Amino acid sequence: MLEMLNAGLRSPDYTITDNLTWILRRDSAFSRDALAREIDQFDVRKLGPEYELPIVFMLGRHDWQVPAVIAADYFSTISAPQKRLVWFEESAHSPPSEEPAAFARALVEVALPLQR
């Protein structure tokens, strides 16, 4: 969580006001509570099983916050021009910080070629 907070504070996309609002104001549309409400109401299955763009799922094998087994099951039901599933065997919910070298390699070797 500290890594995410630090990244948000250093990001050129967010002002200090944005960050303080997210941290302190529970009634803001940008607050953690608002984000939690959005996540609770989101059902990816409502998007349908067909996508018109490449899809990449990067899953931590030990993720139980967003259970990887459920994500992988959903992945098997979708169709896309190209789709790739990448497992991070030593990760749970945060492969970018738990396996940074493997994550960077997957971005370059798996995701990047799909944009071409």
Side-chain angles (χ1 to χ4, degrees):
M1 189 61 152
L2 288 176
E3 285 182 41
M4 288 177 26
L5 180 59
N6 187 35
L9 291 172
R10 293 182 310 152
S11 172
D13 298 322
Y14 301 105
T15 66
I16 190 69
T17 303
D18 294 332
N19 284 300
L20 288 173
T21 298
W22 185 80
I23 293 167
L24 300 174
R25 292 194 51 202
R26 294 192 174 274
D27 62 335
S28 165
F30 303 104
S31 71
R32 287 172 287 166
D33 290 350
L35 178 61
R37 283 190 300 276
E38 289 288 325
I39 289 171
D40 287 345
Q41 295 171 8
F42 180 74
D43 183 351
V44 71
R45 295 169 297 188
K46 291 180 181 176
L47 297 175
E50 296 184 22
Y51 292 83
E52 295 178 8
L53 66 160
I55 300 289
V56 178
F57 278 26
M58 297 185 169
L59 305 175
R61 180 71 71 182
H62 309 286
D63 190 351
W64 287 103
Q65 187 169 359
V66 177
V69 293
I70 294 173
D73 183 56
Y74 172 72
F75 180 84
S76 71
T77 70
I78 64 175
S79 64
Q82 296 178 12
K83 65 180 199 176
R84 303 285 187 275
L85 181 120
V86 180
W87 284 107
F88 293 91
E89 299 297 334
E90 304 299 321
S91 293
H93 189 61
S94 299
S97 60
E98 295 166 334
E99 293 183 71
F103 189 82
R105 191 169 43 257
L107 288 175
V108 171
E109 294 174 2
V110 178
L112 185 60
L114 296 178
Q115 81 171 22
R116 296 181 183 147

